[in-house]
């Protein structure tokens, strides 16, 4: 299980994404990636 924190999600929604973060994120299995309610609130 991997929990994406606010920094990772913020980086992924930017127009100019960090290639390092993007490439790491796309290597993760969708069924093993989660976020928290707190992270969702911080993003909104």
């Amino acid at each position: 299980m991997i929990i994406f924190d606010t920094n990772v999600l913020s980086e992924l929604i930017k127009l100019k994404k960090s290639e390092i973060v993007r490439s790491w994120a796309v290597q993760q299995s969708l069924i093993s990636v989660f976020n928290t309610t707190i992270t969702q609130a911080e993003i909104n």
Side-chain angles (χ1 to χ4, degrees):
M1 175 183 356
I2 298 171
I3 298 176
F4 279 4
D5 70 358
T6 305
N7 295 331
V8 173
L9 290 179
S10 294
E11 192 61 43
L12 293 174
I13 62 175
K14 287 181 180 178
L15 292 177
K16 186 177 178 184
K17 298 167 181 55
S18 163
E19 185 58 33
I20 295 169
V21 175
R22 190 202 68 75
S23 65
W24 175 82
V26 299
Q27 292 176 22
Q28 307 312 310
S29 170
L30 289 178
I31 62 172
S32 68
V33 174
F34 301 88
N35 64 33
T36 65
T37 303
I38 294 170
T39 300
Q40 290 174 355
E42 289 176 336
I43 295 293
N44 292 328

